[in-house]
Amino acid sequence: MKFTRRRFVQTVGTSLVVTPLSLQASGSHQRVKNNPFQHGVASGDPLEDRVILWTRITVNNPQHRVVQVKWRIALDPEFETVVNEGITHTATEIDFTVKVDPDDLQSGTTYYYQFHALGYESPVGRTKTLPKNHIDHLRIAFTSCSNYPFGYFNVYKMIAQRQDLDVVLHLGDYIYEYANGTYGDGSALNRIPEPNKEITTLDDYRMRYSQYRQDLDLQEAHRQHPFITIWDDHEVANDAWNGGAENHNPELGEGNWLDRRAAAVKAYYEWMPIRRVDSDNPLKAYRKFRFGNLLDLMMLDTRLYGRDQQVANALDPKLNDPDRKLLGDEQSEWLLENLQDSQEDSIKWRMLGQQVMFGQLVVSGQIFNVDQWDGYPASRQKVLNHLKDNNIDNTIILTGDIHSSWAMDITENPYDGSQYDGLTGQGSVAVEFVTPAVTSPALTNEVEADQTAFYLKATNPHMKFVDLFHRGYVLLDITHERTQAEWYHAESIVEPGNTNQVYAAGFKINDATNRLTIADKVSNEKNTAPAFAPSFSGNEHHEKKHYKLDRD
Ligand SMILES: [Fe+2]
């Protein structure tokens, strides 16, 4: 074993996970309890000159209805070069969550940030602004589907430990709405969801986020990397669409859909490091991020904004109704325009960060899942026509939702040999990469999962990689020559602190080819990566280190 600096940081980081317990044992229980930064820090939605910084204040004194919070952001982890600082307030109305959006930052730059409230300093976070103009290389991790009772968030810790990431994408199902035992039983792992009931009200959703964000592995991923997130269905309720959800049942006392959705969305904005794109309409969360001349990332909402209701099954005659929408007209127009603008601006790659599988999945001659783009064929065709009609190259779809790993070519009809050649990929117009879950399961029997994957690849010629068993994440390594996706699978999600991971597969799309080929080698880490945010106990009272807000 090589003892590198990286390994040292990892080891120290792991040992600190137990600090709260050791502090309690040494009689510092009061300090642990009073520390207001129980949910760590986070950052997100980076732009060239700004990035959202987030924390939350845990208030033990019910008299406190408003809390003053100081913040600062610096070029170095020791805060010797502070570039901006300020004072903000938080209150009961926003569940004591804190968001600041400091501007005037430099593009493509790593920053360190920290908050201060009620006599305590927060952990130090690390973040990075988007690059501008020409850049050579990006490294991005993406994942989805983190169900608390199903297992430990080891996958988040693995992502936290990758020092050279530019950003992390979370494609939804960041929380799950169920009571314990409905989908995942956390009894054995002591990961019982709070409140232990199906969440439907604002207080419920807030409490669920609060529980998830006390998970130290999730906190560490947020502390080390900026996130770009978008919701899927479980941030509100299973199989959500614009007007309801499979798991929304007013007759069971779950209230009105619009009230429940509004509560869930409010809690999402409070608890996630996301920037509102429309001050009048919180439901509008689709948005775009430009990474220099290398990548345009369009984050889509295929759930709440414009989705018409799912059809009952694949035989439903309404399936092919051209008026049924997945994105809704406004979002669809926005996407098509942005794809075209991106190509015209000579941005090398276009990525769609979204929820449900875009490519066709046919089992025994029938569409398998009408909750995916397969259930909205007219909406998918519109995107495909646009790519073809405008000769838009280098489009990559990033997908979550189904707790399994897939790589596939995207084409209008992969089952028609005159249109698409499964051996060469001739006829493909884009590619799709699907991430496994942080913890949510797909098939739980490994032999059965392998056999099913083999069958699916044999009968769906556009599918190049299918794994239906493992949890993990996808690493994207992006250059002007190619984008490579690598699937990393977790050894265990039931053993706490196990961050062993297996390189499961790698596929790349070479510039202007629009089809997948197998990656010949694992991508290299960046030669230089900014220092991690320093480790912290999260529970110490730094009386002497309080920073002044006066500029020198
Ligand atoms: Fe999920």
Side-chain angles (χ1 to χ4, degrees):
M1 176 173 61
K2 260 182 22 203
F3 197 81
T4 60
R5 183 185 168 279
R6 183 187 163 97
R7 178 148 201 104
F8 175 71
V9 171
Q10 289 175 3
T11 311
V12 171
T14 305
S15 70
L16 284 168
V17 167
V18 299
T19 301
L21 285 176
S22 58
L23 271 178
Q24 285 182 28
S26 64
S28 302
H29 182 70
Q30 200 57 33
R31 286 194 294 176
V32 174
K33 201 172 135 231
N34 287 339
N35 188 304
F37 295 104
Q38 299 289 320
H39 300 93
V41 297
S43 71
D45 278 13
L47 298 176
E48 287 173 8
D49 67 340
R50 66 188 65 196
V51 60
I52 296 278
L53 309 178
W54 181 98
T55 192
R56 198 236 175 203
I57 308 302
T58 298
V59 177
N60 291 319
N61 181 350
Q63 304 289 319
H64 277 134
R65 300 195 61 81
V66 176
V67 176
Q68 178 179 283
V69 183
K70 298 177 189 173
W71 58 271
R72 59 178 180 164
I73 182 165
L75 285 166
D76 61 296
E78 290 80 32
F79 290 85
E80 279 162 15
T81 317
V82 173
V83 298
N84 205 345
E85 58 195 341
I87 296 176
T88 188
H89 292 84
T90 185
T92 49
E93 285 74 17
I94 50 172
D95 201 20
F96 293 103
T97 56
V98 178
K99 255 187 221 185
V100 293
D101 196 7
D103 58 5
D104 278 338
L105 303 178
Q106 297 164 37
S107 62
T109 303
T110 295
Y111 289 96
Y112 301 83
Y113 61 94
Q114 189 175 35
F115 297 91
H116 173 215
L118 302 175
Y120 286 80
E121 285 184 342
S122 77
V124 172
R126 185 182 77 148
T127 191
K128 190 175 183 182
T129 50
L130 293 191
K132 202 158 118 178
N133 304 324
H134 181 84
I135 50 159
D136 294 322
H137 191 196
L138 285 168
R139 307 246 304 162
I140 297 174
F142 74 97
T143 194
S144 71
C145 298
S146 28
N147 179 307
Y148 193 85
F150 267 120
Y152 296 106
F153 287 167
N154 295 339
V155 170
Y156 281 135
K157 189 65 177 286
M158 293 169 202
I159 290 173
Q161 290 173 344
R162 283 202 172 267
Q163 193 167 349
D164 65 353
L165 299 179
D166 291 280
V167 70
V168 173
L169 313 183
H170 196 292
L171 301 181
D173 291 357
Y174 185 93
I175 60 164
Y176 280 76
E177 79 274 22
Y178 300 106
N180 192 48
T182 312
Y183 184 62
D185 186 339
S187 308
L189 302 179
N190 195 22
R191 286 174 78 82
I192 302 210
E194 294 172 4
N196 187 4
K197 67 185 186 79
E198 181 164 329
I199 51 175
T200 57
T201 67
L202 180 58
D203 281 350
D204 293 345
Y205 283 102
R206 283 170 165 173
M207 191 182 288
R208 192 61 60 89
Y209 280 103
S210 170
Q211 178 187 34
Y212 276 57
R213 287 290 269 281
Q214 287 174 63
D215 182 284
L216 294 176
D217 297 325
L218 175 54
Q219 281 190 20
E220 189 62 4
H222 277 299
R223 194 171 78 86
Q224 297 295 354
H225 304 296
F227 272 52
I228 295 175
T229 71
I230 188 80
W231 52 61
D232 193 359
D233 50 341
H234 290 286
E235 280 85 353
V236 190
N238 182 52
D239 282 359
W241 56 285
N242 182 263
E246 176 273 335
N247 190 32
H248 179 68
N249 303 292
E251 68 280 9
L252 298 179
E254 293 173 2
N256 176 294
W257 168 251
L258 294 181
D259 293 342
R260 184 178 187 180
R261 188 180 70 179
V265 166
K266 177 165 168 51
Y268 190 86
Y269 279 102
E270 288 171 350
W271 280 84
M272 302 299 285
I274 181 176
R275 184 182 293 108
R276 280 277 286 265
V277 291
D278 184 338
S279 55
D280 294 329
N281 186 0
L283 211 56
K284 187 167 170 177
Y286 61 87
R287 60 208 196 278
K288 177 181 139 177
F289 299 87
R290 176 162 287 185
F291 295 72
N293 65 345
L294 195 52
L295 169 65
D296 270 343
L297 171 67
M298 273 77 80
M299 298 297 284
L300 303 181
D301 170 8
T302 63
R303 283 293 175 193
L304 303 183
Y305 196 73
R307 180 195 275 247
D308 290 318
Q309 188 166 14
Q310 296 89 341
V311 291
N313 56 56
L315 301 175
D316 192 319
K318 291 202 295 293
L319 181 84
N320 289 301
D321 180 347
D323 289 334
R324 289 183 60 252
K325 310 279 167 53
L326 185 60
L327 299 175
D329 288 336
E330 187 187 319
Q331 183 177 194
S332 178
E333 284 308 308
W334 174 89
L335 170 62
L336 301 188
E337 261 175 49
N338 271 286
L339 283 167
Q340 201 159 355
D341 289 351
S342 177
Q343 167 109 333
E344 283 167 11
D345 291 349
S346 300
I347 307 303
K348 180 60 69 176
W349 302 98
R350 281 150 282 290
M351 291 190 187
L352 278 51
Q354 53 103 52
Q355 298 77 26
V356 289
M357 189 189 278
F358 188 90
Q360 299 84 353
L361 172 56
V362 168
V363 178
S364 303
Q366 241 181 51
I367 288 170
F368 178 70
N369 182 1
V370 292
D371 185 54
Q372 305 181 168
W373 285 78
D374 268 339
Y376 300 81
S379 296
R380 179 170 59 201
Q381 193 58 43
K382 199 168 181 178
V383 177
L384 291 173
N385 288 347
H386 186 75
L387 295 179
K388 282 192 284 189
D389 294 348
N390 297 285
N391 295 315
I392 297 173
D393 278 332
N394 293 352
T395 303
I396 300 173
I397 298 156
L398 312 176
T399 299
D401 186 61
I402 49 165
H403 316 163
S404 43
S405 308
W406 311 65
M408 68 188 87
D409 284 337
I410 294 297
T411 185
E412 186 175 333
N413 184 354
Y415 311 103
D416 178 351
S418 68
Q419 286 187 38
Y420 172 73
D421 181 342
L423 284 178
T424 64
Q426 190 78 36
S428 180
V429 297
V431 305
E432 180 170 12
F433 301 134
V434 184
T435 178
V438 174
T439 56
S440 304
L443 297 183
T444 51
N445 178 313
E446 192 165 6
V447 174
E448 187 193 351
D450 286 349
Q451 286 170 346
T452 308
F454 183 82
Y455 164 78
L456 291 177
K457 278 190 292 183
T459 53
N460 289 267
H462 54 307
M463 289 178 180
K464 308 302 173 191
F465 173 54
V466 183
D467 177 282
L468 304 174
F469 183 72
H470 294 93
R471 317 317 201 274
Y473 64 94
V474 181
L475 175 71
L476 298 168
D477 188 277
I478 308 164
T479 68
H480 286 267
E481 289 71 45
R482 57 103 183 94
T483 288
Q484 181 159 315
E486 298 170 6
W487 281 258
Y488 289 90
H489 287 163
E491 184 175 276
S492 171
I493 58 158
V494 292
E495 188 185 329
N498 184 339
T499 53
N500 293 335
Q501 52 189 308
V502 173
Y503 171 79
F507 283 84
K508 62 180 175 175
I509 164 173
N510 289 319
D511 180 26
T513 62
N514 303 325
R515 75 193 67 155
L516 292 174
T517 53
I518 292 181
D520 34 24
K521 61 178 173 48
V522 174
S523 62
N524 294 325
E525 290 184 17
K526 286 184 181 173
N527 290 333
T528 55
F532 278 121
S535 299
F536 71 105
S537 72
N539 295 290
E540 290 166 30
H541 196 169
H542 299 281
E543 200 70 67
K544 291 187 189 129
K545 287 172 60 191
H546 288 167
Y547 47 86
K548 291 201 316 241
L549 281 165
D550 316 307
R551 282 180 194 272
D552 295 327

